[in-house]
Amino acid sequence: MFETLAVVGATGAVGRIVLDQLADRDFPYKRIKLLASQRSVGREVQVKDQTVKIELLAPGAFQDVDLVIASTPDEVSADFAPYAVKEGAVVVDESGFWRMDPTVPLIIPEVNPQAIAGHQGILASPNCSTTQMVVALAPLHQACRVKRVVVSTYQATSGAGLAGNVELESSVRAHLDGGANQPETFQYPIGFNLIPQIGGEKHQGYTSEEMKMVYETRKILGDEDIQVCPTAVRVPVMTGHSESILVETEEPISVEKAIELFNAAPGITVVDDLDRKQYPMPKDCVGKDDVFVGRIRADISGNGHGIAFWCVSDNLRKGAATNAVQIAELLQSSVASA
Amino acid sequence: MFETLAVVGATGAVGRIVLDQLADRDFPYKRIKLLASQRSVGREVQVKDQTVKIELLAPGAFQDVDLVIASTPDEVSADFAPYAVKEGAVVVDESGFWRMDPTVPLIIPEVNPQAIAGHQGILASPNCSTTQMVVALAPLHQACRVKRVVVSTYQATSGAGLAGNVELESSVRAHLDGGANQPETFQYPIGFNLIPQIGGEKHQGYTSEEMKMVYETRKILGDEDIQVCPTAVRVPVMTGHSESILVETEEPISVEKAIELFNAAPGITVVDDLDRKQYPMPKDCVGKDDVFVGRIRADISGNGHGIAFWCVSDNLRKGAATNAVQIAELLQSSVASA
């Protein structure tokens, strides 16, 4: 068992859910520390029946820590993870900083649990838009080999943290009242609008968010030949990322086969009955841990090797907190069985 | 000149803009009639400096009418268009009913003006989500031949008429106030949500809205070999449809070439500078007549024959009213030159 657990960034949108998930899933530990920047030090947070004071994230803080679950910006993770590991902790990191490091396993427990073997102290949880897509792609890849993915995202404002939702609400209220509000978290007003940019330019006109979906997908599925054409768009939805996905496979794939594969896969719930108006929607996926797929149909522009579908998941849960806690559980069971 | 003009459905979301466009574009006529169902008869509408009383849409109403611009539900158009033609009028119809009729030209004036020749009294304006896509595809098709299109839409609530926007506003307000509202226009609450269904099931798991984008695109571009895989999604935006489009061409196509083609094409405005956060967004396209394209980039999942881009247009203008008035102008100039 990991005796002492540290949660870094516990007061953020994802960190709060990490604490909930640790409680809900009865993750075993003896002692919990909450670490954050100077700004939050001394704040008290309720963790199950304990009141825990936030301590400073700084060298030395991990001397007595076995396992860390961290939800911080990239630059914070770049700074603290090395000394946390040096001080003897294993770090499950939700930031983008370590994901493509060749020494860092990038894990979705339902998809590539074997990749935790040989970790060197840091394990990364994928980007939210990647995670839900790869959970859905994995069974198709295993059965029919995914060659190409065309994906357009509809990403919720909570992907930018609590501030994203606050800004959506104020932007919507300002619009309804005939006023205007100055965007701070997003590039432009997001209320009743769409912003087709998440992250800065990274590669040939694609944003950093889009390229995460290319690189991380290949790493998690262990196949550098998978081609991905992503378009990442911010939408005025608070929680729940949605994705319109077209997948082309090496082996031919039927709709029936795809549904069978989705139904048999862990972490996927199929909601698919167009006649009865059944399909995944953000409002129905908030607070749930699964990846929901629907609108599953043949690619009518293709040659029998393609499937189109619609995929929704709670970006704060499977897209972040839940996946990180699942990685911790995986580490826990590998420690237990060692 | 068409001496007497009739506008059918003038009090609807699109009809109001038809009247504005007729005024703004100085469409020439001597007399205007407004026709609607019994419910609206007698209401007065301001048309330029005249106050016009709405008259009943019924057989006989078109005896003195030369040209009709109609924005009505499909079933209304199915009923009135035949007798309007029999009474001697030419009908420019925005409903979906006549579009795929082989005797009815389906027109985007920038794309296929020649198709008005030989009309038999009814001319159709395409579906809003088709129109903006085809305006953007047309120059690429002419230069490099479009083989395949993968499109995911982000469609505004005004696509469902004035009631759509009223429902978005009440849904958003109910959500912010912690309440709930009963959806009537849409299948589910649309505030802070997405609905991946527009229209009923039409073909192999695709909705009627999606199949319009398949069939109408082929008809307008005059190429039955174009393959389209569409996903149509309703988003909580009032006006301005957006589309994430991947196009594959027979000839290789570079980003530079695509931008050059878009820039040279009528009716298209390129807004494309990711580094300076310049791309089309619904909020910037409301009340404008052009189709706006941006995020133009190579399909990194393809073989040099593909371009990905983002396309936004005011669904009530180019997607409906503006295109219909442009068709009327085309008829006007063909009458004038005959």
Side-chain angles (χ1 to χ4, degrees):
Chain A
M1 192 174 90
F2 296 109
E3 300 222 335
T4 303
L5 188 61
V7 174
V8 180
T11 58
V14 173
R16 293 175 183 194
I17 300 178
V18 168
L19 294 179
D20 287 348
Q21 289 275 296
L22 289 170
D24 290 353
R25 301 169 75 100
D26 274 326
F27 188 85
Y29 60 85
K30 285 197 178 150
R31 192 166 154 257
I32 192 162
K33 287 179 83 165
L34 306 183
L35 299 170
S37 61
Q38 190 63 57
R39 199 164 48 97
S40 300
V41 169
R43 275 178 64 183
E44 295 186 334
V45 175
Q46 196 65 23
V47 180
K48 289 197 272 194
D49 49 3
Q50 274 187 276
T51 301
V52 182
K53 256 198 185 143
I54 293 181
E55 298 171 57
L56 185 64
L57 175 66
F62 298 96
Q63 295 289 359
D64 55 350
V65 170
D66 301 299
L67 178 69
V68 182
I69 300 178
S71 320
T72 73
D74 289 6
E75 62 278 14
V76 175
S77 181
D79 179 54
F80 91 79
Y83 66 73
V85 171
K86 207 171 285 173
E87 293 171 19
V90 174
V91 179
V92 177
D93 185 53
E94 300 189 44
S95 86
F97 189 80
W98 301 100
R99 288 181 195 140
M100 294 310 297
D101 185 309
T103 69
V104 173
L106 182 61
I107 307 282
I108 300 174
E110 296 91 336
V111 176
N112 63 338
Q114 76 289 347
I116 71 159
H119 73 80
Q120 296 176 27
I122 304 176
L123 297 102
S125 186
N127 182 48
C128 46
S129 52
T130 308
T131 302
Q132 69 184 72
M133 179 173 83
V134 173
V135 166
L137 292 180
L140 308 180
H141 187 57
Q142 202 171 12
C144 302
R145 195 167 174 214
V146 170
K147 302 279 287 175
R148 183 187 187 200
V149 181
V150 179
V151 54
S152 297
T153 72
Y154 303 64
Q155 293 183 232
T157 52
S158 59
L162 296 170
N165 282 357
V166 170
E167 188 159 307
L168 172 56
E169 179 166 342
S170 61
S171 175
V172 161
R173 286 194 188 275
H175 192 280
L176 290 178
D177 299 342
N181 82 316
Q182 192 57 37
E184 291 174 13
T185 299
F186 301 114
Q187 301 92 333
Y188 297 98
I190 185 63
F192 304 106
N193 192 31
L194 307 171
I195 304 175
Q197 176 186 11
I198 304 180
E201 179 160 5
K202 174 82 176 178
H203 174 77
Q204 297 186 357
Y206 289 80
T207 65
S208 54
E209 181 81 1
E210 288 161 352
M211 293 313 294
K212 287 174 187 175
M213 300 182 78
V214 178
Y215 300 138
E216 296 179 15
T217 298
R218 290 177 185 156
K219 180 166 176 174
I220 301 161
L221 292 176
D223 187 338
E224 291 298 311
D225 293 333
I226 296 175
Q227 303 300 322
V228 183
C229 182
T231 303
V233 181
R234 188 74 68 190
V235 300
V237 167
M238 293 203 176
T239 302
H241 284 357
S242 302
E243 298 177 341
S244 170
I245 297 175
L246 177 77
V247 54
E248 294 176 11
T249 51
E250 187 161 89
E251 302 299 320
I253 185 165
S254 66
V255 172
E256 296 67 32
K257 178 74 178 172
I259 292 173
E260 187 187 309
L261 290 166
F262 285 139
N263 272 321
I268 296 178
T269 297
V270 174
V271 182
D272 192 16
D273 187 344
L274 185 55
D275 281 340
R276 298 181 56 213
K277 302 180 187 173
Q278 297 298 307
Y279 28 71
M281 290 183 287
K283 76 171 184 63
D284 296 331
C285 298
V286 175
K288 296 187 181 154
D289 290 313
D290 263 13
V291 171
F292 295 82
V293 298
R295 295 296 323 270
I296 304 159
R297 57 211 197 274
D299 167 18
I300 47 168
S301 73
N303 57 0
H305 289 241
I307 289 289
F309 63 97
W310 174 253
C311 167
V312 184
S313 191
D314 184 327
N315 52 300
L316 302 178
R317 292 199 155 229
K318 185 59 189 171
T322 303
N323 198 65
V325 173
Q326 286 174 320
I327 295 173
E329 289 171 342
L330 201 58
L331 284 164
Q332 171 72 33
S333 62
S334 78
V335 169
S337 67
Chain B
M1 193 175 88
F2 295 110
E3 302 220 335
T4 303
L5 188 59
V7 175
V8 179
T11 58
V14 174
R16 292 176 183 193
I17 301 178
V18 167
L19 294 179
D20 288 347
Q21 289 275 295
L22 290 169
D24 291 352
R25 302 170 73 102
D26 274 327
F27 188 86
Y29 59 85
K30 286 197 177 148
R31 188 168 157 259
I32 192 163
K33 287 180 82 164
L34 306 183
L35 299 170
S37 60
Q38 189 64 56
R39 199 164 46 100
S40 301
V41 168
R43 275 178 61 183
E44 295 186 334
V45 174
Q46 196 65 23
V47 181
K48 290 197 271 194
D49 51 1
Q50 274 186 277
T51 302
V52 182
K53 257 201 181 139
I54 292 180
E55 299 172 58
L56 185 64
L57 175 66
F62 298 96
Q63 296 287 359
D64 55 351
V65 171
D66 302 298
L67 177 68
V68 183
I69 299 178
S71 319
T72 72
D74 289 7
E75 62 278 14
V76 174
S77 180
D79 179 57
F80 90 79
Y83 66 74
V85 171
K86 207 171 284 173
E87 293 170 20
V90 174
V91 178
V92 177
D93 184 52
E94 300 188 45
S95 85
F97 189 81
W98 300 99
R99 290 182 193 138
M100 296 308 300
D101 185 310
T103 69
V104 172
L106 181 63
I107 307 282
I108 301 175
E110 296 92 334
V111 177
N112 63 338
Q114 75 288 348
I116 72 159
H119 74 79
Q120 296 176 29
I122 303 175
L123 298 102
S125 187
N127 182 47
C128 45
S129 52
T130 308
T131 302
Q132 68 183 74
M133 179 172 83
V134 173
V135 167
L137 292 179
L140 308 180
H141 187 59
Q142 202 168 13
C144 302
R145 194 165 174 215
V146 170
K147 301 279 288 176
R148 184 188 187 198
V149 181
V150 179
V151 54
S152 297
T153 74
Y154 302 64
Q155 293 184 232
T157 52
S158 60
L162 296 171
N165 284 356
V166 170
E167 187 159 307
L168 171 56
E169 178 167 342
S170 60
S171 175
V172 161
R173 286 193 190 276
H175 192 279
L176 290 177
D177 300 342
N181 82 316
Q182 193 56 37
E184 290 174 14
T185 299
F186 301 114
Q187 301 91 332
Y188 297 98
I190 184 63
F192 304 105
N193 191 30
L194 307 171
I195 304 174
Q197 176 185 12
I198 304 180
E201 179 160 6
K202 175 80 177 180
H203 175 75
Q204 295 185 359
Y206 290 80
T207 64
S208 55
E209 182 79 2
E210 289 161 350
M211 293 314 294
K212 288 174 185 174
M213 300 183 78
V214 179
Y215 301 138
E216 295 179 17
T217 298
R218 290 177 185 157
K219 180 166 177 174
I220 300 161
L221 292 176
D223 186 339
E224 292 297 313
D225 293 332
I226 296 175
Q227 303 300 322
V228 183
C229 182
T231 303
V233 181
R234 188 74 68 190
V235 299
V237 167
M238 291 202 178
T239 302
H241 285 357
S242 303
E243 298 178 341
S244 170
I245 298 176
L246 177 78
V247 54
E248 294 176 9
T249 52
E250 187 162 88
E251 302 299 320
I253 185 165
S254 67
V255 173
E256 297 67 33
K257 179 74 178 174
I259 292 174
E260 187 187 309
L261 291 165
F262 285 140
N263 272 321
I268 295 179
T269 296
V270 174
V271 182
D272 193 16
D273 187 344
L274 184 55
D275 281 341
R276 298 181 57 213
K277 302 178 187 175
Q278 297 298 306
Y279 28 72
M281 291 182 287
K283 76 172 184 63
D284 296 331
C285 299
V286 175
K288 296 186 181 154
D289 290 314
D290 262 14
V291 171
F292 295 82
V293 297
R295 296 295 322 272
I296 304 159
R297 59 208 197 277
D299 167 17
I300 48 169
S301 73
N303 56 1
H305 290 242
I307 289 288
F309 63 97
W310 174 253
C311 167
V312 185
S313 192
D314 184 326
N315 52 301
L316 301 177
R317 291 199 157 230
K318 186 59 190 171
T322 302
N323 198 66
V325 173
Q326 287 173 320
I327 296 172
E329 289 171 344
L330 200 61
L331 285 164
Q332 171 72 33
S333 63
S334 80
V335 169
S337 67

